């Protein structure tokens, strides 16, 4: 059998190259080429620092810098021939650099290892995804606030157990999601702040004997500081896990909202009309308008949570410092991030475009004895009944309304008085849905005044 040539980057002690299967299991270039920009940014910061410290000459650093920019351009234009024999993005870039500038290329890897290199590249990439997700959440929150503002006093049924509970306002329901997505945003901001330390200069695991300036490379790459322990720097991926756990929680929120849109857009609810731009048709049933985007958003948590479980499982039990297992950190994070951004953008578009059906919301709000709690509260407030007794009396009145086939506001006073003689005309004031929501003035409650003041608070916060 013909012997393949040994690896040009690390093959000094090898007599032959790898088996084809070895190459197949070892190579990450098919996916880590996504880190090309970060890899080149890291190398540019590194070589500038090496020159400043007198570790490489200014002339070599200049050639390396120019060569790296040429490589960046070739990759951006799709003119770069990625090679599996060169394993990963780091060695692909360096090998091409050598073709372009010759021997000085070999000086770039001084005082560095692929271990701190990949940790730096990936951190930069994940940091960028935090920023993208934060921007996506801000846009979604703005769309929700616009909906809340338009319908701050529209009434709709509030549910528990998906059974009619009490009337709420549309604006209040939209603001509930604003709160959730704002927490998702702050989780990403926290994760971003924690991950913003630079691994570069940790070298293979122990640091380096060259007089490098880690603060300089950290600063050049926009990090707050260098990481304080070289073993930790090359061997943890908790930054990616924090991103994934924030992404998973966000995907869970998106999934819940998507589920509501699926229900609300059905012919049975008709609470909202989704725009044509965010709906699809059926190839067999001409009448159909399906909420596919909402359904897909509802499902995205599957792969995002899957990525989190996968990476946690890869990392579990690994001894310090770097192990090749950690090459398995990237693909799922890429996939999770791509799908999170897509889900955020699709949800933002749907929320922006959707039309709430105000008459249908109002009709539904008044059905299902939704103001029964208001009646019980009235019995306590006006007639002085203990709440438990008021609850019981109200239950009997609801039973009468149910038997009469009407809702509470339509039940004759005499029927109510047959349950409790003290009830008078004034009770009808609390049985209407608008009065019901307007009365819930407690902080954070559903009253339109409360909703409007929360909208104002959010607008100020997001400025
Ligand atoms: N492709 C590798 C990864 O993604 C880069 C680091 C390789 N380091 C090493 N010592 N083999 O993890």
């Amino acid at each position: 059998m013909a012997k393949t040539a040994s690896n040009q980057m690390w093959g000094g002690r090898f007599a032959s190259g790898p088996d084809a299967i070895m190459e197949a299991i070892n190579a990450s270039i098919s996916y880590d080429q996504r880190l090309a920009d970060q890899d080149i940014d890291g190398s540019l910061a590194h070589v500038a620092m090496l020159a400043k410290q007198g570790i490489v000459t200014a002339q070599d650093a200049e050639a390396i810098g120019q060569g790296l920019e040429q490589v960046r351009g070739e990759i951006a234009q799709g003119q770069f021939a990625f090679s599996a024999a060169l394993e990963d993005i780091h060695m692909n870039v360096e090998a091409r650099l050598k073709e372009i500038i010759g021997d000085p290329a070999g000086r770039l890897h001084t005082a560095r290892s692929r271990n701190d290199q990949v940790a730096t590249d990936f951190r930069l990439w994940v940091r960028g995804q935090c920023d993208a997700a934060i921007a996506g959440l801000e846009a979604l929150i703005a769309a929700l606030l616009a909906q809340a503002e338009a319908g701050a006093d529209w009434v709709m049924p509030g549910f528990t157990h998906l059974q009619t509970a009490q009337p709420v306002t549309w604006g209040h329901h939209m603001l509930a999601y604003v709160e959730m997505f704002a927490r998702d945003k702050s989780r990403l901001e926290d994760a971003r702040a924690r991950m913003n330390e630079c691994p570069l200069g940790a070298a293979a695991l122990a640091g380096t004997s060259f007089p490098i300036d880690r603060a300089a490379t950290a600063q050049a790459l926009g990090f707050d500081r260098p990481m304080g322990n070289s073993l930790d720097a090359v061997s943890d991926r908790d930054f990616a896990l924090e991103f994934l756990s924030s992404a998973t929680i966000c995907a869970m929120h998106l999934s819940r909202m998507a589920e509501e849109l699926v229900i609300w857009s059905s012919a049975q609810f008709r609470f909202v009309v989704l725009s044509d731009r965010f709906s699809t048709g059926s190839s067999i049933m001409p009448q159909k308008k399906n909420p596919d985007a909402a359904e897909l958003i509802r499902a995205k948590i599957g792969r995002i949570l899957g990525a989190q479980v996968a990476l946690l499982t890869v990392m579990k039990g690994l001894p310090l410092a770097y192990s090749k297992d950690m090459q398995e950190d990237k693909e799922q994070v890429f996939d999770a991030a791509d799908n999170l951004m897509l889900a955020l953008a699709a949800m933002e578009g749907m929320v922006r475009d959707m039309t709430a059906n105000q008459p249908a919301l109002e009709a539904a709000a008044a059905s299902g004895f939704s103001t029964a709690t208001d009646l019980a509260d009235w019995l306590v407030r006006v007639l002085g009944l203990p709440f438990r007794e008021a609850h019981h009396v109200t239950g009997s009145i609801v039973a009468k309304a149910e038997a009469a086939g009407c809702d509470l506001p339509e039940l004759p006073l005499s029927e109510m008085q047959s349950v409790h003689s003290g009830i008078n005309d004034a009770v009808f004031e609390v049985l209407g849905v608008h009065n019901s929501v307007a009365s819930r003035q407690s902080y954070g409650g559903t009253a339109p005044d409360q909703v409007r003041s929360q909208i104002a608070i959010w607008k100020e916060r997001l400025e």
Side-chain angles (χ1 to χ4, degrees):
M1 208 200 267
K3 274 214 239 163
T4 47
S6 70
N7 188 290
Q8 57 172 291
M9 296 289 168
W10 47 248
R13 61 163 293 175
F14 288 75
S16 81
D19 188 272
I21 291 172
M22 179 64 216
E23 185 178 295
I25 195 171
N26 201 35
S28 53
I29 189 61
S30 64
Y31 51 88
D32 70 11
Q33 53 184 266
R34 276 189 81 163
L35 298 177
D37 265 324
Q38 290 75 14
D39 194 67
I40 289 168
D41 290 342
S43 289
L44 289 171
H46 183 67
V47 76
M49 180 279 292
L50 292 179
K52 195 187 77 161
Q53 297 299 102
I55 300 167
V56 301
T57 64
Q59 205 182 3
D60 283 348
E62 174 81 19
I64 290 169
Q66 282 177 9
L68 285 170
E69 288 300 0
Q70 183 178 329
V71 174
R72 194 202 295 274
E74 289 173 5
I75 293 174
Q77 276 150 44
Q79 289 162 357
F80 191 97
F82 290 107
S83 152
L86 289 164
E87 283 183 37
D88 55 26
I89 186 61
H90 324 294
M91 298 205 294
N92 269 268
V93 169
E94 194 185 319
R96 177 68 187 130
L97 181 67
K98 186 165 183 213
E99 285 173 6
I100 299 169
I101 69 166
D103 286 338
R107 300 195 183 277
L108 170 60
H109 213 52
T110 313
R112 180 177 85 168
S113 149
R114 274 189 293 156
N115 297 349
D116 58 336
Q117 195 179 352
V118 74
T120 304
D121 294 2
F122 198 34
R123 227 170 240 261
L124 287 170
W125 193 88
V126 173
R127 188 182 74 183
Q129 297 303 303
C130 287
D131 292 339
I134 288 166
L137 280 162
E138 282 170 353
L140 173 55
I141 289 169
L144 286 162
L145 282 175
Q147 285 285 354
E149 214 167 8
D153 54 7
W154 300 349
V155 287
M156 65 180 283
F159 299 92
T160 60
H161 315 264
L162 198 56
Q163 307 288 322
T164 301
Q166 295 173 348
V168 296
T169 46
W170 171 259
H172 195 217
H173 202 114
M174 293 296 111
L175 285 182
Y177 284 109
V178 168
E179 298 276 344
M180 293 180 238
F181 292 125
R183 282 195 299 276
D184 292 338
K185 175 174 168 267
S186 97
R187 260 184 286 276
L188 286 159
E189 287 162 350
D190 290 349
R192 189 200 194 280
R194 226 174 345 267
M195 77 178 66
N196 204 30
E197 294 188 337
C198 188
L200 195 59
L205 73 166
T208 175
S209 58
F210 290 98
I212 61 171
D213 181 352
R214 291 195 57 207
T217 43
Q219 199 194 4
L221 294 168
F223 288 109
D224 294 330
R225 62 192 80 82
M227 291 181 77
N229 182 298
S230 61
L231 292 166
D232 172 49
V234 295
S235 62
D236 208 353
R237 295 293 182 264
D238 60 350
F239 62 94
L241 286 165
E242 279 200 58
F243 170 72
L244 289 176
S245 58
S246 308
T248 301
I249 295 173
C250 179
M252 175 275 293
H253 287 150
L254 286 167
S255 184
R256 295 184 70 175
M257 176 154 204
E259 164 71 352
E260 297 212 306
L261 295 183
V262 170
I263 295 174
W264 290 356
S265 62
S266 68
Q268 288 68 28
F269 269 74
R270 295 189 308 112
F271 283 7
V272 296
V273 179
L274 299 177
S275 74
D276 287 358
R277 301 192 325 143
F278 285 96
S279 308
T280 54
S282 157
S283 54
I284 176 169
M285 296 167 282
Q287 86 282 13
K288 295 275 286 199
K289 185 169 160 190
N290 291 329
D292 292 41
E295 295 168 83
L296 288 162
I297 293 169
R298 186 171 60 184
K300 288 297 184 192
I301 187 171
R303 61 207 295 164
I304 295 172
L305 172 61
Q308 192 190 350
V309 173
L311 182 54
L312 264 177
T313 312
V314 166
M315 296 306 295
K316 178 202 164 294
L318 287 185
L320 301 188
Y322 178 85
S323 297
K324 196 63 174 263
D325 309 51
M326 288 159 67
Q327 179 166 287
E328 292 282 315
D329 60 357
K330 295 172 200 63
E331 276 176 291
Q332 311 239 17
V333 179
F334 291 160
D335 181 78
D338 290 346
N339 282 284
L340 178 68
M341 303 315 152
L342 191 55
L344 283 169
M347 184 59 95
E348 191 231 323
M350 266 195 303
V351 170
R352 230 172 239 302
D353 276 16
M354 76 185 176
T355 314
N357 182 351
Q358 197 192 346
L361 289 170
E362 178 143 359
S367 72
F369 318 111
S370 64
T371 52
T373 314
D374 300 85
L375 172 54
D377 288 350
W378 185 88
L379 293 170
V380 170
R381 210 171 43 245
V382 179
L383 301 190
L385 265 54
F387 183 77
R388 279 292 151 227
E389 192 187 336
H391 186 286
H392 199 79
V393 168
T394 304
S396 305
I397 293 174
V398 166
K400 283 199 176 293
E402 196 163 36
C406 67
D407 260 297
L408 290 175
E410 290 96 52
L411 192 68
L413 181 61
S414 57
E415 287 283 300
M416 291 196 229
Q417 285 171 334
S418 73
V419 179
H420 194 290
S421 58
I423 299 177
N424 59 49
D425 245 356
V427 76
F428 288 101
E429 269 170 44
V430 300
L431 297 181
V433 287
H434 286 282
N435 288 341
S436 168
V437 295
S439 73
R440 294 212 154 65
Q441 286 285 357
S442 52
Y443 182 83
T446 204
D449 290 348
Q450 281 299 320
V451 169
R452 288 195 186 95
S453 74
Q454 289 294 328
I455 292 171
I457 290 169
W458 277 114
K459 281 182 143 178
E460 203 178 291
R461 255 184 229 163
L462 293 166
E463 246 156 39

